[in-house]
Amino acid sequence: PTHFCNRLHARASTPPTVTMGLLTAVAKLTAQSMGVLAVESYGSAHLAKVAPELHGAVWGIAEKSGVLPKAYGLVIMVNLIVCSFAVIALSFKVGAARDTLGVPLPTMYATGKDAKSVKFNCIQRGHQQALETFTMFLCGSLIGGVKYPISVAFFGLVWCKARFSWAEGYATGEPKKRYQSGWGMLIWTTLIGVFSAAGGVGLELVGVM
């Protein structure tokens, strides 16, 4: 009970500036991702009028599925398969670091404070943080891709690039450098993006959109 109360007190004492900063960042990321979804919605509607055959080739219902757009295949290939291999590739970097930095299995993180331990833990975080959010990203992709297959597949490609850039910055041994590349922040833009797409599907199902 005491530990729980301490956690509640810590949350209650969070400076308003920190909370506002977080909300501002989320709002900015949401606006960016919604812009991408809006472009696809407009493009789909426009093509349906001026080039119905092209529209049908992309957003038309796939015969074998009966419900999914043809472009949903891109979501499966990119967001499920390619992104999964990206996570696996990050795990290979951790495996290599175990050999070069002397951290054998099954140790998850090095316990020392020396440069090698810090560097290994940074490389490990590059993989672990991807794992921690990949399930959410994948679920959002598979749902959101039903309505926004092109946008979601685009988010998947960007996510892969951003993940490698984020991990490379972290692997320097200086955590702040995980965002040194402009790509780093896009791990969050793409996550919010697939959430927004999935939200669009949910709103459509309940009759709001």
Side-chain angles (χ1 to χ4, degrees):
T2 302
H3 178 65
F4 178 71
C5 290
N6 289 338
R7 290 179 63 186
L8 287 179
H9 176 71
R11 292 182 180 180
S13 61
T14 300
T17 54
V18 175
T19 301
M20 287 303 298
L22 179 61
L23 292 176
T24 301
V26 172
K28 182 178 180 180
L29 295 175
T30 302
Q32 291 173 345
S33 61
M34 290 296 289
V36 175
L37 301 181
V39 169
E40 178 171 357
S41 294
Y42 174 79
S44 174
H46 182 68
L47 280 180
K49 296 177 181 179
V50 302
E53 291 186 0
L54 179 58
H55 175 273
V58 178
W59 289 280
I61 301 301
E63 293 182 7
K64 292 187 177 180
S65 75
V67 292
L68 297 173
K70 295 176 181 178
Y72 191 80
L74 294 175
V75 176
I76 296 174
M77 290 186 286
V78 175
N79 299 59
L80 175 59
I81 299 174
V82 175
C83 290
S84 293
F85 276 107
V87 174
I88 293 172
L90 290 174
S91 74
F92 289 162
K93 293 180 180 293
V94 177
R98 288 188 180 280
D99 294 332
T100 58
L101 300 175
V103 184
L105 286 168
T107 303
M108 179 68 77
Y109 290 102
T111 56
K113 299 297 183 180
D114 57 284
K116 285 188 176 181
S117 295
V118 171
K119 186 173 179 62
F120 174 80
N121 289 341
C122 287
I123 295 172
Q124 176 71 293
R125 282 305 299 160
H127 175 236
Q128 285 296 311
Q129 206 278 342
L131 280 178
E132 292 165 4
T133 57
F134 184 54
T135 300
M136 294 181 285
F137 179 79
L138 183 57
C139 288
S141 296
L142 295 178
I143 295 172
V146 173
K147 182 175 176 63
Y148 302 99
I150 301 300
S151 296
V152 169
F154 172 72
F155 287 143
L157 290 173
V158 175
W159 185 88
C160 289
K161 169 61 178 174
R163 272 293 161 198
F164 282 114
S165 294
W166 193 86
E168 286 172 4
Y170 219 147
T172 61
E174 298 181 41
K176 291 183 179 180
K177 288 188 176 181
R178 64 194 190 279
Y179 293 115
Q180 69 179 351
S181 166
W183 287 95
M185 187 58 70
L186 293 180
I187 64 172
W188 303 113
T189 306
T190 51
L191 180 62
I192 296 297
V194 298
F195 282 173
S196 299
V201 174
L203 291 174
E204 188 172 275
L205 289 175
V206 298
V208 176
M209 293 180 66

